[in-house]
Amino acid sequence: MAMEKNKFGQYFTPHSMASFMVSLLSAKKEGRILEPSSGEGVFIDALEEQGYDNWSACEIDSTLIRHKNVNPISFISADFQEDFDAVIGNPPYIRWKHLECELKEELVQNSLWKENFNSLCDYLFIFIAKSIMLLKEGGELIFICSDYWLSSTNGKYLRQFLLKHGYFHSIYQYKETAIFPRVTASLVVFRFIKNSSFKPTTCFLFTYKGSAYPSFSLLSDLSSYEKLEIPQFCNSDKWLLASIDEQKKIRQFELACSNQEGLFPEDRKIDRIGDFFDIGNGLVSGLDKAFNVTNIFHLIPEEERKCLINVVKSKNISSFVPTNISKYIYIEDKEITEQEMKSRYNVLYTHLLQFYETLQQRYQYGRKIDFWSFSFPRNKHLFSTNVDKIFVPCKDRISKRKAFRFCIAPKGTYPLQDVTALIRRPNCKESLEYAVAYLNSPEVYEWLLLNGIIKGEIVEFSEAPLASIPYRKIDWGNPYEVQIHNEISNVVKGIILKSSISEIEQRSINQLFQKLI
């Protein structure tokens, strides 16, 4: 069976998952079931195997159809004359900008899309919305899809729609479990009940504990999951897959990072990292192995060393301190000719010449790039400020650790493309040592697990998610808080001095922050 995504945004569901999802149906065997994007018919096979014969299905790509009763039509344009007891399947996912022209035109003409969504939304949204509209009252929708819309900004349109039309009975979370080969998106299976008048206060969250290619028996075995009862979603803000206690803890943390001017907690403005730090992703060389001259630094003449910069890659970041700083070629002079490059910087020129063909094949960013130049010196003006900075990997896997890797990089050090930097603004009165300890704290870790951009076990640290982190600034009129700030700063200075952190030091920092939060 083909497993590649095609132009219609289809990933074909393994039979084990389709069978599991069909097993979740509460509809009677004679109930009317709809599969809106049937692909090669795996859900139809699973339905028939479990005794559901009264099904209808659509498939826009007629080359995939194996069952004679599948309607070869786009689900978006299909006209259904009766409602369904259940809708089940794997809806396509395509971002608006990647949609084929005919699919965009179809959406523009669709009244349901025009009333509820816009070009910031994704193709998935209309499949969920129309499926719900086709359900009988009390009918159920069971879909498998990426979980990004639960918390994304543009996902609020879909969240608003769902709130109007029913509630979630259960959500099965698979994170990085390899449901689809070569797909690492964080996936959920959800069971949504259409109901205009009733909404329970909670729903069930099942988090799968396994990893690769689960069988039907594993998927359907409740011992394969961690079960949690979570609050029913009640507004279109980010939907957190967390218990009531966890959500209260997160809210308490945010309030500790708010000003105290609001009469009610919901009126208080939460201070954010983005209010106190400039944030930018690192420089793009286009071929790190060509520009890295750390191993031949001793052979480079003093005059040519002026064309080197200190850089840090993601793999060289640990909590509080970088583990390694490399020397990279960086030619500042944009007007230099190749002949001048060869005569003035012969050792560097000769080194780069080894990689000439590969360097010439780099992405050009809409302009001609000399082979001795970085592809994209992104944010260099920001990083050139003569101050220490905070570095963090752009993406970090959390499955094997319980803390993030924010470190202080000494002045004159640049982040590369897999690193994001934070530069303190003048309005930030706290020390950089305090700030890096705060970002490495358990409180920030727990907040990001629920509010950050996470795909499976990968947390993204680009500008927007970093800027949104609540920031606990110090009340400088409060001697107690000033003392805690100074104690944290002094502990971190000691860590940086010896380039390592002990369990005692980490525990001390955590205990000090707990006094502020």
Side-chain angles (χ1 to χ4, degrees):
M1 178 186 294
M3 298 302 290
E4 296 293 337
K5 175 183 167 183
N6 64 20
K7 72 174 185 176
F8 298 116
Q10 297 164 314
Y11 289 102
F12 300 114
T13 313
H15 187 270
S16 59
M17 176 55 76
S19 296
F20 167 66
M21 291 170 62
V22 170
S23 74
L24 298 178
L25 287 170
S26 63
K28 295 179 180 179
K29 299 298 182 182
E30 63 273 17
R32 280 184 51 76
I33 314 294
L34 172 66
E35 215 288 39
S37 53
S38 64
E40 296 176 324
V42 66
F43 281 95
I44 296 171
D45 292 338
L47 285 166
E48 291 183 342
E49 287 166 6
Q50 296 184 43
Y52 293 95
D53 295 319
N54 189 14
W55 56 263
S56 297
C58 298
E59 177 48 55
I60 191 172
D61 186 355
S62 59
T63 65
L64 297 175
I65 296 174
R66 294 189 296 107
H67 297 77
K68 63 180 180 180
N69 293 329
V70 174
N71 195 352
I73 190 174
S74 166
F75 170 66
I76 308 306
S77 300
D79 184 20
F80 297 91
Q81 299 304 311
E82 55 183 309
D83 295 335
F84 294 87
D85 296 285
V87 181
I88 191 167
N90 173 13
Y93 165 65
I94 320 175
R95 297 184 66 180
W96 173 271
K97 65 180 181 180
H98 297 145
L99 276 174
E100 301 286 323
C101 291
E102 66 266 26
L103 298 183
K104 284 185 178 179
E105 184 61 28
E106 185 182 36
L107 287 181
V108 169
Q109 300 301 320
N110 185 278
S111 59
L112 186 62
W113 175 270
K114 289 190 291 186
E115 289 170 11
N116 295 280
F117 307 114
N118 56 38
S119 60
L120 297 175
C121 300
D122 299 320
Y123 199 44
L124 164 71
F125 294 8
I126 189 66
F127 273 76
I128 293 176
K130 184 171 182 179
S131 294
I132 290 171
M133 298 307 291
L134 290 171
L135 286 172
K136 298 176 180 178
E137 184 75 0
E140 57 191 329
L141 171 64
I142 299 177
F143 267 175
I144 181 171
C145 59
S146 170
D147 66 2
Y148 75 96
W149 56 271
L150 292 168
S151 59
S152 69
T153 300
N154 299 328
K156 69 179 180 181
Y157 298 101
L158 179 57
R159 296 193 293 269
Q160 288 169 353
F161 184 90
L162 289 164
L163 288 169
K164 290 179 186 176
H165 295 284
Y167 62 89
F168 286 87
H169 174 275
S170 48
I171 299 173
Y172 295 79
Q173 187 177 39
Y174 292 95
K175 296 187 177 180
E176 282 192 328
T177 302
I179 302 296
F180 301 96
R182 298 180 295 280
V183 176
T184 57
S186 181
L187 300 174
V188 292
V189 169
F190 66 83
R191 182 168 171 241
F192 180 86
I193 310 299
K194 182 176 181 178
N195 194 304
S196 59
S197 58
F198 169 76
K199 180 179 289 190
T201 57
T202 62
C203 69
F204 296 104
L205 173 66
F206 297 88
T207 301
Y208 188 69
K209 296 183 288 188
S211 54
Y213 307 113
S215 63
F216 171 74
S217 60
L218 283 173
L219 288 170
S220 56
D221 183 356
L222 286 182
S223 67
S224 298
Y225 300 83
E226 292 178 1
K227 183 180 178 181
L228 190 65
E229 194 168 1
I230 65 174
Q232 192 67 228
F233 309 118
C234 58
N235 60 56
S236 62
D237 294 340
K238 287 184 177 181
W239 286 355
L240 303 182
L241 300 182
S243 68
I244 295 173
D245 289 342
E246 286 177 305
Q247 294 195 28
K248 285 181 179 178
K249 188 176 180 181
I250 290 296
R251 185 55 180 159
Q252 181 182 355
F253 169 60
E254 291 178 334
L255 289 175
C257 299
S258 68
N259 62 41
Q260 302 300 312
E261 296 173 3
L263 182 61
F264 301 103
E266 57 269 22
D267 297 329
R268 296 174 186 170
K269 177 184 177 297
I270 299 170
D271 292 314
R272 307 279 181 181
I273 287 292
D275 299 326
F276 300 93
F277 289 82
D278 291 317
I279 303 168
N281 295 120
L283 314 178
V284 181
S285 74
L287 188 64
D288 285 352
K289 67 179 180 180
F291 291 90
N292 188 345
V293 291
T294 307
N295 292 337
I296 64 165
F297 178 72
H298 62 288
L299 301 176
I300 300 173
E302 194 65 36
E303 184 63 26
E304 295 190 33
R305 291 183 182 184
K306 295 177 183 178
C307 296
L308 304 182
I309 58 173
N310 294 324
V311 304
V312 170
K313 287 180 65 67
S314 173
K315 66 180 182 180
N316 300 131
I317 292 178
S318 64
S319 296
F320 296 99
V321 290
T323 58
N324 188 54
I325 296 176
S326 302
K327 300 286 186 182
Y328 271 49
I329 300 169
Y330 188 86
I331 306 299
E332 193 78 57
D333 188 351
K334 297 179 181 178
E335 305 300 324
I336 191 172
T337 66
E338 184 171 353
Q339 187 57 43
E340 289 172 329
M341 177 72 190
K342 183 177 180 180
S343 61
R344 289 164 58 183
Y345 310 116
N346 185 258
V347 173
L348 301 182
Y349 175 84
T350 302
H351 171 79
L352 287 168
L353 206 58
Q354 304 172 79
F355 306 94
Y356 178 82
E357 290 188 7
T358 309
L359 288 167
Q360 290 292 77
Q361 294 170 6
R362 292 175 298 170
Y363 182 67
Q364 296 291 303
Y365 291 91
R367 66 189 193 282
K368 183 183 182 302
I369 300 173
D370 296 317
F371 76 87
W372 57 82
S373 297
F374 266 45
S375 290
F376 186 22
R378 177 177 53 188
N379 296 314
K380 187 171 185 296
H381 67 285
L382 181 64
F383 306 140
S384 295
T385 52
N386 192 32
V387 294
D388 293 348
K389 305 168 186 68
I390 294 176
F391 286 0
V392 65
C394 289
K395 295 182 179 181
D396 207 7
R397 181 176 293 277
I398 56 173
S399 55
K400 294 183 179 179
R401 67 170 65 93
K402 294 298 180 183
F404 294 123
R405 294 183 290 152
F406 290 87
C407 77
I408 292 182
K411 60 186 68 175
T413 306
Y414 293 83
L416 284 181
Q417 63 269 14
D418 58 358
V419 174
T420 303
L422 298 89
I423 296 91
R424 195 168 45 144
R425 293 179 183 167
N427 67 329
C428 181
K429 306 303 180 184
E430 292 75 32
S431 71
L432 205 63
E433 290 82 6
Y434 169 89
V436 76
Y438 172 79
L439 289 167
N440 284 325
S441 69
E443 287 77 14
V444 169
Y445 178 87
E446 291 173 4
W447 187 89
L448 280 167
L449 288 186
L450 293 176
N451 293 276
I453 296 180
I454 301 178
K455 297 179 179 179
E457 296 290 339
I458 305 294
V459 183
E460 294 188 5
F461 290 109
S462 53
E463 182 176 350
L466 279 172
S468 69
I469 298 172
Y471 182 59
R472 179 51 165 97
K473 64 182 183 182
I474 295 296
D475 177 1
W476 294 99
N478 184 331
Y480 178 70
E481 289 197 7
V482 174
Q483 180 184 349
I484 292 174
H485 168 273
N486 294 341
E487 288 181 19
I488 291 171
S489 299
N490 288 333
V491 173
V492 175
K493 286 176 183 177
I495 293 168
I496 293 171
L497 195 62
K498 60 188 177 67
S499 297
S500 65
I501 181 172
S502 67
E503 288 187 14
I504 294 175
E505 288 168 323
Q506 185 64 71
R507 195 179 307 119
S508 173
I509 292 172
N510 294 346
Q511 290 171 348
L512 287 166
F513 272 119
Q514 287 169 9
K515 295 178 180 179
L516 294 174
I517 295 169

